[in-house]
Amino acid sequence: MAQQIQGVLVDANTNQPLAAANLWLKGTQRGAATNAQGNFTINAPAAQGTYTLLVSMLGYREMEQEIQLLGNDLKLDTLRLSAEPTLIASNLVITANRSLNQAFATTEAVSVLKASEIIHNGARSTPEALMGLTGVFVQKTNHGGGSPFVRGLTGNQTLLLMDGLRMNNSIYRFGPNQYFNTIDVFSLQQIEVVRGAGSVLYGSDAMGGAIQVFTPTPQFASEGWQFGGRLLGRYLDRDMEQTVHAELNAANETIAFRAGASVRNFGDHYAGKGLGKEGPSSYRERAADAKAVFKLNRHAQFTLAYNGVFQTEVERYDQYVTGFALSQFEPQTRQMAYGRLAWEGQSPWLQNITLTGSWQFAEEGRIFQRNNNVTRSNELDEIRTFGYVLEWHAQPLSFWKITSGVEAYLDKVSSGGSNLNTETGAVTARRGLYPAGTNATNTAVFTAHQLSHQRWTLNLGLRYNQVRLEIQDATFGDTEITPDALVAHALLRYQVGEHHAISGGTYSGFRAPNINDMTSFGRFDFGIEVPSYDLSPERTTTYELNYKYSSEKLQANVSGFYTALSDLVTRVRGTFEGLPTYEGSDVYKKENAAESFIRGTELDVAWALSAQFNLQGSLTYTFGQNTTGNEPMRRIPPLNGRIALQYQPVKQWFNRVEFLYASKQDRLAGGDKSDPRIPKGGTPGWEVLNLRSAYQFKQVELQAGLNNLFNEAYRTHGSGIDGVGRSVWIGLDWKF
């Protein structure tokens, strides 16, 4: 019978509970994180015997403890960690293999960001939280947006996930977009970025990689009911941010519940010297999330979760500076709910199985009006996604682990639009960006196998994916297509010694053409797009080599990769009703018209210099070339990186100096040169210095930060709004 290991983790000196610590049964894929009360629950292997429990947390000495599993639930005595401020915690990740592993043990290149780092950095949004993360570059078209680039790709060429479920739907746009901004940064436990890989385990769109956000899972109490909560407030000067966030949790031995809500107002953005206020760029945000876990019996539990973000009057500052009197996303919302049944098996051929049913609803409204034009246009797209995922894990032999699954997602799209004559008040209905009533079905089966022998680990995977698009369009005609793809990966890892590992291999990826690709009829950044019904999947083949080092005082990762891209969907000049322009703008359509390659190098280092000082650094180089057009690929990020020195004289007091930098990007494609968001001659290089500090007194933590100390004027490449100028933020975080 499956067993559960429960316990409480506290500070050895103060007896205060420790939240967000990692616990892991060595030699297995089983682990958990502690909640705000220090509670944890681990679903242990069915096999009885002696296991080693590894406990790690940034700022504390790593601890190992042997435990005996005898076929019954195990309640441990209180575990106590001793403070050692600059030790580097062992990162536990799920996304790379769709199961729990140490980041050092994965064959893939992985970047990890924990909730405490997000809060201490004062990130206003989830995209901003990724700035400086190895292998990730963030473009911000507007203040209420943010599009992460992973290995030179973004938009619908990079897959977004939440708690194992696809967020990408069939109307995700090519190029920079705002979707990652519709995640409440205060509802997250951890962010994982798998750079490059992901198509076998997660399907279409993971060409650049997969970014997964995890929401906190409430932990069962050791005995009786326990209650707790959190109240957080933050303010960024000149009213650039006003935030209040609250949480409540409750748990006993069989039920665990957590709920959170955020109320956030963002004022107009202020950039560095000589730029000042850039507005209108404000917006409002309301968010709510909840998760409940029910222990059905000793080997089954059920999770019910909800996550929603509601943003209004999201101003498109980039459009105001190019001739618009009004340009907003109104509304900009995303909701997700899911139920997940997890069952622990007794057979090595069926260690555990999960069945997840999900519902998602996204809504994007656009209101825009050009200068000296009486027509105000309104567009509204709604998409409902129903998802079903069956996943199972097995270990039939000690050296052979299997992860397999079947998944299906159904998108139902509704789209409409109207034009308002602001002088006469007359309203004229018109076709939306997409035809109303369009459906898309995404089905797949996948299997991944991990074979281990002494120091060697081989990962093999295969996925077959089919997408079915049913398009009913009164303007351009009806059509139905069923693009499919078969992708695979083969990755090999060799652990040279206790601290060194080398891995590498090849994997293929794809992106199926979606409803946005094929049916869009409307305005984009520099023209009008008309539908294209003859598209096939984009494809990638990547070759990668990684070196990883991990010890108590030093962690380092170096990755080199080469990705060949074929059948890329790109915009080319077209016509509408025989004319090359429409409503004064050039007409474009999409075609599988390009082949390209991207190569790059990524470096990530964390080094505990002494008992008080910790040094972190990253460097990312990406080179992209459009071989079809004999020119650079569009929007390729420049050389960029981060250096951070952390000083922690005592456990309660955290201080960090952070230096972010990017070189000039003057390797421009033709589309970059005509993009008003990119300065003539390219985006200048920049350096920004930030200061962060936090002090914890019992259950209250005071936080503060100084952004852009020298008030530099800068812009991340391809962005439509500049980086924030010198500004101060303060925060208060009370956990009870």
Side-chain angles (χ1 to χ4, degrees):
M1 299 288 287
Q3 307 157 72
Q4 288 191 323
I5 305 167
Q6 292 184 331
V8 179
L9 181 68
V10 301
D11 184 292
N13 296 320
T14 66
N15 285 324
Q16 292 294 314
L18 296 177
N22 284 324
L23 298 101
W24 180 56
L25 286 181
K26 296 183 69 174
T28 75
Q29 298 178 358
R30 311 302 177 93
T34 55
N35 66 7
Q37 287 73 44
N39 293 309
F40 63 88
T41 301
I42 300 174
N43 291 323
Q48 299 181 25
T50 302
Y51 292 84
T52 299
L53 179 65
L54 175 69
V55 187
S56 69
M57 183 176 180
L58 188 64
Y60 287 84
R61 179 177 294 278
E62 202 165 78
M63 181 180 74
E64 293 186 0
Q65 178 171 316
E66 285 195 351
I67 59 174
Q68 294 287 330
L69 298 181
L70 303 175
N72 299 311
D73 290 347
L74 177 63
K75 290 189 176 180
L76 299 175
D77 293 334
T78 299
L79 301 179
R80 302 176 185 278
L81 279 188
S82 298
E84 186 168 333
T86 60
L87 284 181
I88 303 167
S90 299
N91 284 323
L92 296 180
V93 297
I94 295 175
T95 309
N97 302 123
R98 216 167 175 134
S99 58
L100 191 68
N101 285 280
Q102 284 183 304
F104 175 66
T106 63
T107 53
E108 295 82 1
V110 183
S111 301
V112 181
L113 193 64
K114 298 182 181 298
S116 58
E117 298 174 277
I118 297 172
I119 298 301
H120 285 160
N121 274 339
R124 291 178 293 178
S125 65
T126 306
E128 287 188 7
L130 295 178
M131 288 184 173
L133 196 65
T134 307
V136 183
F137 190 80
V138 178
Q139 182 267 13
K140 288 178 68 70
T141 292
N142 60 311
H143 184 37
S147 192
F149 280 70
V150 182
R151 293 193 166 174
L153 299 175
T154 193
N156 57 21
Q157 294 177 325
T158 298
L159 180 62
L160 306 181
L161 302 153
M162 175 178 282
D163 291 347
L165 298 169
R166 292 175 57 91
M167 293 178 61
N168 289 41
N169 56 48
S170 56
I171 63 172
Y172 264 38
R173 292 192 297 276
F174 168 77
N177 55 48
Q178 78 281 13
Y179 305 121
F180 203 57
N181 198 70
T182 61
I183 300 171
D184 180 15
V185 73
F186 297 104
S187 69
L188 303 182
Q189 179 70 38
Q190 183 161 300
I191 303 177
E192 297 176 9
V193 182
V194 178
R195 309 194 298 270
S199 279
V200 167
L201 291 178
Y202 300 104
S204 178
D205 303 6
M207 296 169 63
I211 304 176
Q212 180 157 209
V213 299
F214 291 93
T215 59
T217 296
Q219 298 291 306
F220 299 112
S222 299
E223 57 183 26
W225 279 98
Q226 293 185 2
F227 300 90
R230 179 186 192 185
L231 186 62
L232 183 148
R234 193 162 67 196
Y235 177 79
L236 177 62
D237 68 6
R238 288 174 285 191
D239 291 334
M240 282 191 284
E241 179 192 354
Q242 303 170 35
T243 291
V244 175
H245 173 78
E247 296 176 14
L248 178 67
N249 52 71
N252 62 16
E253 295 92 334
T254 59
I255 301 174
F257 173 79
R258 175 196 176 278
S262 299
V263 176
R264 314 190 68 193
N265 294 326
F266 297 94
D268 286 334
H269 181 78
Y270 284 81
K273 64 178 67 170
L275 298 176
K277 180 179 177 180
E278 296 185 338
S281 55
S282 60
Y283 70 100
R284 294 179 295 171
E285 178 178 304
R286 306 293 182 262
D289 65 281
K291 187 182 289 186
V293 183
F294 305 90
K295 186 191 296 184
L296 304 181
N297 52 47
R298 286 173 54 199
H299 54 277
Q301 68 181 33
F302 180 71
T303 301
L304 190 63
Y306 170 82
N307 187 286
V309 173
F310 309 87
Q311 298 171 343
T312 56
E313 298 178 354
V314 183
E315 302 284 4
R316 286 285 307 269
Y317 170 75
D318 63 304
Q319 297 278 33
Y320 286 100
V321 298
T322 58
F324 281 80
L326 176 65
S327 184
Q328 293 179 343
F329 288 122
E330 168 61 34
Q332 181 170 284
T333 70
R334 180 199 54 79
Q335 299 181 72
M336 173 189 285
Y338 66 84
R340 176 172 293 155
L341 178 64
W343 178 74
E344 297 282 338
Q346 303 175 57
S347 166
W349 284 98
L350 188 58
Q351 284 189 326
N352 62 77
I353 185 169
T354 61
L355 176 63
T356 306
S358 63
W359 166 87
Q360 298 184 57
F361 175 70
E363 191 176 32
E364 180 183 313
R366 295 173 296 278
I367 305 174
F368 53 90
Q369 181 178 359
R370 286 188 174 274
N371 288 328
N372 305 315
N373 194 317
V374 299
T375 301
R376 179 174 299 173
S377 297
N378 293 266
E379 298 175 344
L380 180 64
D381 306 324
E382 296 179 344
I383 183 165
R384 292 167 174 82
T385 302
F386 303 89
Y388 309 92
V389 181
L390 177 66
E391 178 182 336
W392 63 92
H393 297 262
Q395 189 170 356
L397 300 171
S398 61
F399 61 86
W400 181 20
K401 297 177 182 178
I402 305 171
T403 299
S404 300
V406 178
E407 62 184 29
Y409 290 89
L410 171 63
D411 289 346
K412 292 182 173 293
V413 177
S414 174
S415 183
S418 64
N419 289 333
L420 168 67
N421 187 307
T422 55
E423 290 184 350
T424 66
V427 177
T428 304
R430 61 182 182 85
R431 181 192 188 273
L433 185 60
Y434 313 112
T438 299
N439 298 327
T441 305
N442 182 345
T443 56
V445 57
F446 65 89
T447 184
H449 300 256
Q450 184 179 97
L451 303 170
S452 303
H453 177 66
Q454 295 179 352
R455 296 176 180 268
W456 294 93
T457 302
L458 176 64
N459 282 351
L460 301 172
L462 190 69
R463 166 183 284 253
Y464 174 72
N465 212 117
Q466 184 182 79
V467 174
R468 183 186 187 91
L469 301 179
E470 300 173 294
I471 301 166
Q472 297 179 347
D473 192 335
T475 304
F476 295 94
D478 300 345
T479 190
E480 181 177 308
I481 66 166
T482 55
D484 62 354
L486 183 68
V487 291
H489 68 227
L491 300 166
L492 183 65
R493 178 180 184 270
Y494 177 68
Q495 185 152 339
V496 181
E498 181 183 359
H499 304 298
H500 306 266
I502 299 173
S503 63
T506 183
Y507 42 84
S508 54
F510 76 104
R511 187 186 72 83
N514 63 17
I515 291 173
N516 177 269
D517 292 314
M518 301 186 67
T519 69
S520 293
F521 178 52
R523 185 175 306 281
F524 64 102
D525 295 327
F526 52 87
I528 296 290
E529 185 175 320
V530 297
S532 304
Y533 288 159
D534 55 350
L535 301 177
S536 57
E538 300 178 318
R539 298 182 182 274
T540 62
T541 301
T542 297
Y543 305 93
E544 181 175 303
L545 182 64
N546 302 310
Y547 165 75
K548 297 183 181 183
Y549 179 89
S550 180
S551 69
E552 193 177 60
K553 297 290 186 180
L554 177 65
Q555 288 183 359
N557 301 273
V558 183
S559 299
F561 70 92
Y562 176 91
T563 298
L565 304 96
S566 59
D567 294 326
L568 289 178
V569 175
T570 185
R571 290 189 178 103
V572 299
R573 291 297 298 270
T575 62
F576 176 67
E577 295 181 341
L579 299 176
T581 61
Y582 175 73
E583 294 183 347
S585 298
D586 293 333
V587 175
Y588 288 80
K589 66 175 184 177
K590 292 194 177 88
E591 290 183 357
N592 293 98
E595 293 188 359
S596 303
F597 71 83
I598 303 174
R599 65 172 185 260
T601 305
E602 301 153 345
L603 170 65
D604 185 14
V605 177
W607 183 15
L609 299 173
S610 69
Q612 291 82 32
F613 288 95
N614 183 298
L615 182 66
Q616 299 174 359
S618 68
L619 184 68
T620 302
Y621 168 75
T622 310
F623 180 94
Q625 181 72 10
N626 179 341
T627 54
T628 302
N630 192 28
E631 66 171 2
M633 287 184 65
R634 287 207 64 192
R635 307 186 186 96
I636 291 294
L639 177 73
N640 66 91
R642 171 180 177 265
I643 299 173
L645 180 64
Q646 180 174 311
Y647 172 61
Q648 196 166 354
V650 293
K651 180 182 68 69
Q652 297 88 349
W653 189 17
F654 159 89
N655 303 276
R656 178 184 292 157
V657 180
E658 177 186 62
F659 178 71
L660 298 171
Y661 55 93
S663 64
K664 180 179 181 179
Q665 181 54 290
D666 53 8
R667 291 195 73 249
L668 304 179
D672 293 335
K673 294 175 181 178
S674 61
D675 190 335
R677 293 169 295 190
I678 298 176
K680 186 177 181 180
T683 303
W686 49 266
E687 301 87 26
V688 170
L689 191 67
N690 300 320
L691 306 179
R692 310 284 186 245
S693 186
Y695 184 82
Q696 185 171 345
F697 179 74
K698 295 184 178 179
Q699 295 171 292
V700 177
E701 183 177 75
L702 300 177
Q703 304 158 352
L706 175 59
N707 300 319
N708 195 353
L709 176 63
F710 297 109
N711 199 31
E712 294 298 319
Y714 74 100
R715 174 175 292 200
T716 59
H717 182 58
S719 294
I721 196 166
D722 295 286
V724 67
R726 183 165 51 226
S727 52
V728 177
W729 63 269
I730 55 173
L732 185 147
D733 192 354
W734 175 36
K735 297 175 182 177
F736 55 90

